[in-house]
Structure formats: structure tokens, C-alpha cells
């Protein structure tokens, strides 16, 4: 599939089921008029009805449909393209995908030609990505049975749980009748359940927490970069933002 260039990278995966999955990373330059490019339009045309397509786009475009705070001409052009080709926008919510010293906005989107249930767990990561763009995570559902997420009581933060429960118990007045006691039992059950869910994170079966090439040195560098990002995000200082950017290349400092 000859649909890659300096702004577009395409990979085709031939699955054992006989279906083909096409993954594309697309950059749409801000100065380019009427996005997307002819190459991206060709990619969508060639995959329609033939392959499953997932396309991650740095669109540099605003539109209410994918969570931006406004809509601009670039966003309208891309949205018209989406409608004309029966694509689906996988974005959920309005968490900013682009974040720097002066502004936050949703300008990155994930597109697919598959059904709504094919892309699951789509979310914008809050962790430092070493870029002005935040990482976007999602899973492609292959149709096989997925194990649901679960909570492991051993991972519960009991200190946080006790603190949450104590703060909520203050809200309960002293019951005076049997009916009030029954009502408070139901309310207390909901409070305890909610505090437990907040203190015990969901576990997703089969999700690797770290890649095989990860090591302690990289973990230390990531920690330092996160600290630099948190400081820069708090102070909004040019000096702190420059220090954060310099932390991307520690071996050259």
C-alpha cells in the first residue's frame, strides 16, 4: 500500500482471521489548506470496504465534534471528509490533547471505518509524554471475548479508603425512626462501595505495564522529566518550560 510519506506512515497487518488491519499515523500541517491531504484521501478510499482502518491524526484543527472549544475552517474541512467517507471519531470527552505554556486544546483525533465497539478504552493520558501532545491510549477489539476489568483488594489504598469514609460519615445525621435507619443503611452501603472503588483501581487483564526494554535509568529520566513538567505547568514560566524541554535530551545537556 503506497500511501506513506513524510507526514503519513501506514502499516498493514494481515490477521489470521483473513482480515487486514491498517494503522496510520497522520500529521496535517497547519499551513496546508483544506485538510486532509490527497494522500490521506487516497488511503481512506483504498481501504473502504476492503480493510479495517484506524488512523491517529495530529489534525491541527478545531471542531466541537471531537471536543474542541470552538470550530474553525480546518475543522469543518476535516469533518466534511469524515461524513463523506462514513468514518467514526473515536475521541471521548474534551480532555486537551495538546498542552503547552500558553494554551490547551483538542487537536488530535482518532478515526476508524469500523463499528463503534471496535475501538475500546479510548482515553487521553495525563502522564508526561515528552511532547506538547499528550499520548492517546486505546485498544482495537478483534472480536474475541475480552475479559472484563476487575478490582484486586490487595491493591486497595486502605489509608485513602479510611479517609474517604471518615469524611463521608460526617454527612449522616442521627436516625430517629426505623425508616430513617433503613434509608441510611442503603446510603451507607453506597458510600462504602464508592470509597472502595476510588481506593482500589481497576485492573485490565493482559495489559503490559512496561515494555521489555524499560530499565531503571529510563525510569529515573522519566521521573525527572515529569517533575520538570509539573513545575512548568504550575509556574507558566518560560525558564521552567525550557528546562522541561531540555529534559527530553538529557545526554546533550
Amino acid at each position: 500500500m503506497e500511501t506513506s510519506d513524510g507526514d503519513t506512515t501506514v502499516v498493514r497487518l494481515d490477521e489470521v482471521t483473513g482480515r487486514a488491519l491498517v494503522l496510520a499515523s497522520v500529521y496535517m500541517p497547519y499551513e496546508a489548506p483544506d485538510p486532509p491531504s490527497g494522500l490521506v484521501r487516497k488511503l481512506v478510499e483504498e481501504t473502504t470496504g476492503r480493510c479495517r482502518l484506524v488512523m491517529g491524526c495530529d489534525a491541527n484543527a478545531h471542531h466541537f465534534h471531537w471536543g474542541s472549544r470552538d470550530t474553525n475552517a480546518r475543522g469543518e474541512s476535516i469533518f466534511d471528509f469524515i461524513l463523506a467517507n462514513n468514518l467514526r471519531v473515536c475521541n471521548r470527552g474534551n480532555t486537551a490533547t495538546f498542552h503547552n505554556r500558553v494554551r490547551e486544546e483538542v487537536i488530535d483525533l482518532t478515526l476508524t471505518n469500523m463499528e463503534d465497539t471496535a475501538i475500546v478504552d479510548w482515553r487521553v493520558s495525563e502522564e508526561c509524554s515528552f511532547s506538547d501532545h499528550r499520548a492517546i491510549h486505546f485498544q482495537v477489539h478483534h472480536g474475541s471475548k475480552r475479559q472484563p476489568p476487575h478490582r484486586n483488594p490487595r491493591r486497595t489504598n486502605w489509608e485513602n479508603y479510611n479517609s474517604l469514609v471518615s469524611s463521608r460519615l460526617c454527612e449522616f445525621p442521627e436516625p430517629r425512626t426505623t425508616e430513617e435507619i433503613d434509608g441510611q443503611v442503603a446510603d451507607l452501603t453506597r458510600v462504602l462501595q464508592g470509597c472502595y472503588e476510588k481506593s482500589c483501581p481497576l485492573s485490565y487483564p493482559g495489559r503490559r505495564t512496561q515494555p521489555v526494554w524499560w530499565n531503571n535509568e529510563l525510569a529515573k529520566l522519566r521521573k525527572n522529566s515529569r517533575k520538570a513538567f509539573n513545575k512548568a505547568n504550575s509556574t507558566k514560566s518560560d525558564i521552567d518550560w525550557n528546562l522541561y524541554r531540555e529534559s527530553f535530551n538529557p545526554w546533550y545537556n
Side-chain angles (χ1 to χ4, degrees):
M1 182 173 294
E2 298 179 359
T3 47
S4 295
D5 63 8
D7 293 330
T8 305
T9 300
V10 180
V11 176
R12 172 176 170 141
L13 303 176
D14 291 317
E15 304 174 273
V16 295
T17 59
R19 296 182 297 177
L21 174 63
V22 175
L23 304 175
S25 175
V26 177
Y27 171 67
M28 301 181 186
Y30 185 79
E31 65 277 7
D34 302 324
S37 67
L39 191 63
V40 173
R41 295 175 186 273
K42 176 183 176 184
L43 168 64
V44 172
E45 180 182 350
E46 290 188 354
T47 55
T48 299
R50 301 182 182 91
C51 307
R52 302 195 302 160
L53 173 67
V54 180
M55 190 161 58
C57 307
D58 175 1
N60 282 309
H62 301 187
H63 202 288
F64 291 123
H65 188 69
W66 51 79
S68 302
R69 288 176 293 183
D70 60 4
T71 297
N72 60 14
R74 289 178 57 84
E76 290 286 10
S77 178
I78 295 173
F79 189 56
D80 288 344
F81 169 75
I82 290 171
L83 295 178
N85 290 275
N86 295 317
L87 297 176
R88 293 181 177 84
V89 177
C90 304
N91 294 43
R92 296 292 181 268
N94 57 359
T95 301
T97 63
F98 178 87
H99 174 84
N100 65 10
R101 182 179 65 85
V102 296
R103 69 186 182 98
E104 295 184 356
E105 191 53 88
V106 181
I107 59 174
D108 302 277
L109 59 154
T110 306
L111 303 177
T112 184
N113 60 5
M114 296 185 282
E115 62 276 6
D116 291 335
T117 57
I119 305 297
V120 295
D121 298 334
W122 192 100
R123 66 193 187 283
V124 179
S125 174
E126 295 292 341
E127 293 192 3
C128 172
S129 65
F130 310 103
S131 167
D132 291 337
H133 294 261
R134 288 173 170 151
I136 294 174
H137 297 277
F138 59 86
Q139 297 181 33
V140 180
H141 184 28
H142 290 264
S144 57
K145 185 177 181 180
R146 299 174 63 247
Q147 294 183 347
H150 65 280
R151 302 182 193 276
N152 182 353
R154 294 181 180 180
R155 298 182 60 194
T156 303
N157 184 334
W158 291 112
E159 181 178 351
N160 184 61
Y161 173 81
N162 290 333
S163 177
L164 289 172
V165 172
S166 297
S167 65
R168 293 298 305 276
L169 287 180
C170 298
E171 303 172 5
F172 287 81
E174 182 178 350
R176 297 182 179 181
T177 65
T178 302
E179 290 76 13
E180 290 180 353
I181 293 176
D182 291 339
Q184 287 197 8
V185 168
D187 291 339
L188 179 61
T189 300
R190 285 193 292 270
V191 167
L192 295 178
Q193 180 66 28
C195 293
Y196 170 70
E197 291 176 355
K198 290 182 178 179
S199 305
C200 183
L202 283 169
S203 296
Y204 293 85
R207 176 176 294 176
R208 184 186 293 274
T209 56
Q210 296 290 0
V212 294
W213 43 262
W214 193 256
N215 57 42
N216 291 333
E217 182 180 4
L218 292 175
K220 182 178 179 180
L221 293 173
R222 181 175 68 175
K223 181 179 180 180
N224 291 338
S225 187
R226 283 176 175 171
K227 287 183 178 179
F229 170 78
N230 290 334
K231 183 178 180 180
N233 192 38
S234 175
T235 65
K236 309 297 183 183
S237 162
D238 289 342
I239 295 176
D240 289 336
W241 276 104
N242 289 334
L243 290 174
Y244 164 60
R245 289 181 176 278
E246 290 175 4
S247 70
F248 298 168
N249 299 296
W251 293 283
Y252 297 97
N253 292 341

